[in-house]
Amino acid sequence: MLRKGPLRFEIFEVDGAAPLPEDRRHPPADLRTHGNKHVAFRVEDLEEFLSEMEQKQVDIAFVVREAFGAELMTFEIARITIDPARAADFEAAVAQAEPHFRADPGCTGFALQRVIEEPGVYHLLVGWVSVEAHTVDFRATENFAKWRALAGPFFVEPPKVVHVETVIGEAGVK
């Protein structure tokens, strides 16, 4: 068990287990393989943390150093207008469509929000690894076609879509 302040983290190892294959040592290339992939921690000082883990003789398979910032997350915000009388059916259709978004390797989050002041208006928020992951990759898939088949019949006008990146603070769509 690892302890750091109030954090308690248990790592299990199976005796005689096969070693981690080389092709599984890079998480972005291992997205479609079932099983545990990685654990990520946010630490103030990575080098200090790694030194502490080394002193405790923790075997770390690999360390990924990434620069965090706006370029790592793009949010699609689609303003969707429907007939308010069909709201329940629309929300059910979007719930059916959600797995089609989440199945895409470029999708990092999904949420549907109802605009309180405007009945029949929704904001679809989808996290993407890049604008192209949405506009090029996802839109060319069968999953996009399924989304449009489920939700499209409810649109009273084409959705208004913009892509944004966070420049101050933190925001996330899970």
Side-chain angles (χ1 to χ4, degrees):
M1 177 180 295
L2 296 176
R3 294 183 180 146
K4 179 91 172 161
L7 174 69
R8 301 293 183 263
F9 185 73
E10 292 182 312
I11 300 175
F12 298 92
E13 181 177 359
V14 177
D15 287 333
L20 185 67
E22 195 58 40
D23 64 337
R24 300 256 343 251
R25 292 186 173 269
H26 186 59
D30 190 36
L31 292 174
R32 299 207 181 268
T33 305
H34 293 285
N36 294 332
K37 302 293 187 280
H38 70 280
V39 176
F41 296 97
R42 179 180 178 183
V43 296
E44 293 298 321
D45 184 327
L46 179 60
E47 297 309 321
E48 180 181 314
F49 178 78
L50 290 173
S51 176
E52 181 180 336
M53 293 299 102
E54 185 178 317
Q55 290 171 8
K56 294 181 179 184
Q57 299 179 335
V58 173
D59 180 21
I60 298 175
F62 57 87
V63 175
V64 177
R65 288 176 170 82
E66 297 282 349
F68 288 92
E71 72 279 359
L72 295 181
M73 177 71 72
T74 297
F75 292 99
E76 164 198 359
I77 304 175
R79 181 182 171 92
I80 300 171
T81 304
I82 66 160
D83 176 351
R86 300 182 69 199
D89 291 337
F90 171 69
E91 291 173 15
V94 174
Q96 280 186 284
E98 180 179 359
H100 299 301
F101 282 86
R102 292 194 182 275
D104 193 279
C107 177
T108 62
F110 179 95
L112 180 68
Q113 300 177 336
R114 183 183 315 115
V115 176
I116 296 167
E117 297 85 359
E118 298 178 71
V121 176
Y122 290 81
H123 288 172
L124 178 70
L125 285 83
V126 184
W128 297 102
V129 296
S130 68
V131 173
E132 293 75 21
H134 172 226
T135 60
V136 177
D137 301 337
F138 179 67
R139 285 190 179 169
T141 68
E142 185 177 324
N143 283 330
F144 176 75
K146 290 176 180 177
W147 146 250
R148 290 309 289 254
L150 286 163
F154 294 92
F155 301 164
V156 297
E157 62 185 29
K160 294 174 177 68
V161 178
V162 296
H163 295 90
V164 300
E165 59 189 14
T166 302
V167 294
I168 298 174
E170 293 183 31
V173 176
K174 305 260 183 211

